[in-house]
Amino acid sequence: LKIASGQYPDIFYGFPIGPAEQKLYAKSGILIDLTDYIDKYAPNIKKMFEEKPDWKDSVTIDGKIYGVPAINTSLISQYDNVMWVYKPWFDKLGIDVPTTTDEFYEMLKLVKSTDLNENGQADEIPLASRGLMSDAGLLGYLMNSFCYTNTTAGPGEFVKKENGKIKFVADTDEFKKGLDYIRKLYSEGLIEHDSLTMDRTRITSLGESEPPVLFAAPGLMASYFTVNGSESNRTLDYVAIPPVKGPNGYANTVHKYEGKGDIYMSITSACKDPVTAIKWLDGLLSDEMMYKAKGLETYIRDAKEGEIGLDGKQAKYAYMKTDKTLQEEKNKYWKIFYAGFSIEDMLTSCYYEEEYNGKLSQNRYDAQVMYEPFDKNESVNMLVCDEGDAEEYAQLRVALENCITSYAASFISGEKSLASNWNEYLNALKQNGLERYLEICNKSEYK
């Protein structure tokens, strides 16, 4: 809207502008080339590009740089669709960790038929999710037992890399079988009925319920459906289980879209003093300002000898405050809302003085380590369209995502039948421009 109005600000900050849009806005005279400004006035950005040349390459278009990226490469947050289970109940069940979709199904059936919270009511919820899509949706974990399926933000939604080409996955027999499996879970009451549309408020009410009612839910971390630092400490009671193999032995996890190619800090032609603007942006990437942005200067110190980090090695840093305290102070800082380095050492090479925060972070780190071996490197992490195709690509992508989401929800809920309406769905994909979408994808640069 800002760009369409022609009354845009000096600086766009904190949201991604993709490579195709960068080309378009640069050609339109909206974004200015920062290459020389970075070289002359931005030592922190220059240092970042020297240490991370692939980051620089990802935002260099036709030899020019129109903005600064915000790329997260830390292992602690590379895989979104982790499945978390309530450990006190899992221990009560006395079963092995499921390794197949059949075993996962039997585990959920056992939860539904057992009074695990011992309140005399059949109120246990085997599985719930925050809708179908996103990094906490139903499809992200379950469908990757049948075929590669990326449902999170980025260029790789429902497409994957295969034999040097981009291939669509949501029209395959494997995708159909995955929907059929999820439909079975849903029809037998193993998935909470409103999971297809559930929001964070609703799922958090389930995760924090007293007595406990929620057994399993997907998300990057357990706080996606519980509250960090709450009196229940329920977040600590959930542990990750790995991806499970489907009927064909396939088990995958999707590598998170890192943001390569996108810019989060850019200067427009409306800016009368780009030198001051680039100096300000560069200042935000200094170590001092990145500490301040996260509030780190008030609760982090150098680790002492013998203090061990999440990775099991001598820690470099130590956290001195609890997560509950950070929640209380969160409005004092910008937190991670800035472009630049992901501060990996501050996430993995950390010792936590407070047991709660230490266990919380360890659970999250251990989950990522567990999921990493399942990454089949099929993700499309960056796609650069020709500027003439950018607007059409964006429109087709939204139309196809809406089509897939609508039909998937109808198949899973039973409103439509996979046996009777699958061809109708395939025709809907064609009508929403699938062929043209793949044509654009495969003539674009992608990684």
Side-chain angles (χ1 to χ4, degrees), residues 49 58 87 107 186 207 247 256 296 324 343 353 356:
F49 284 156
S58 78
K87 190 173 187 301
M107 176 183 70
Y186 189 87
K256 187 176 182 178
L296 296 179
K324 187 178 292 187
I343 311 174
E353 287 187 353
Y356 174 89

Side-chain angles (χ1 to χ4, degrees), residues 139-327:
L139 294 184
Y141 177 86
L142 294 176
M143 192 60 77
N144 275 285
S145 295
F146 296 86
C147 63
Y148 171 92
T149 305
N150 184 3
T151 61
T152 58
E157 290 177 323
F158 298 108
V159 295
K160 68 172 183 176
K161 295 182 294 188
E162 185 179 278
N163 298 324
K165 296 191 71 175
I166 290 181
K167 179 181 178 183
F168 194 67
V169 298
D171 60 349
T172 62
D173 288 341
E174 291 79 11
F175 192 82
K176 182 180 180 182
K177 289 175 183 176
L179 289 175
D180 190 45
Y181 173 77
I182 300 172
R183 164 64 185 155
K184 179 174 75 168
L185 300 186
Y186 189 87
S187 66
E188 295 185 19
L190 304 182
I191 298 173
E192 180 68 356
H193 67 94
D194 58 344
S195 289
L196 304 182
T197 57
M198 190 179 297
D199 62 15
R200 184 163 191 159
T201 300
R202 163 71 172 145
I203 200 168
T204 300
S205 72
L206 300 179
E208 289 289 336
S209 174
E210 191 57 51
V213 295
L214 180 61
F215 176 67
L220 173 62
M221 44 192 157
S223 59
Y224 274 39
F225 51 87
T226 59
V227 178
N228 277 351
S230 67
E231 292 185 8
S232 72
N233 282 341
R234 190 71 53 76
T235 307
L236 299 183
D237 292 327
Y238 284 89
V239 295
I241 61 172
V244 291
K245 294 180 180 179
N248 295 328
Y250 184 86
N252 179 59
T253 190
V254 175
H255 189 264
K256 187 176 182 178
Y257 173 54
E258 296 176 341
K260 285 185 179 177
D262 290 350
I263 56 174
Y264 284 73
M265 288 178 166
S266 54
I267 301 174
T268 76
S269 55
C271 181
K272 296 180 180 178
D273 188 359
V275 171
T276 298
I278 195 67
K279 286 181 177 180
W280 181 76
L281 292 176
D282 187 68
L284 293 177
L285 271 70
S286 67
D287 289 343
E288 178 186 5
M289 285 305 296
M290 285 202 283
Y291 268 73
K292 287 179 186 253
K294 289 175 67 68
L296 296 179
E297 82 281 4
T298 66
Y299 66 90
I300 196 170
R301 61 170 172 78
D302 291 334
K304 301 173 184 176
E305 186 68 30
E307 292 180 333
I308 304 302
L310 300 179
D311 54 6
K313 302 175 183 177
Q314 169 64 42
K316 295 182 179 180
Y317 304 98
Y319 280 89
M320 300 178 286
K321 288 190 178 181
T322 65
D323 191 73
K324 187 178 292 187
T325 304
L326 301 184
Q327 289 292 318

Side-chain angles (χ1 to χ4, degrees), residues 46-54 341:
K46 190 173 180 180
K47 176 185 175 186
M48 179 179 73
F49 284 156
E50 287 172 351
E51 295 184 6
K52 303 284 186 179
D54 58 322
F341 288 111

Side-chain angles (χ1 to χ4, degrees), residues 90 93-99 103 107 241:
F90 186 84
L93 294 175
I95 60 174
D96 293 331
V97 174
T99 59
E103 291 174 0
M107 176 183 70
I241 61 172

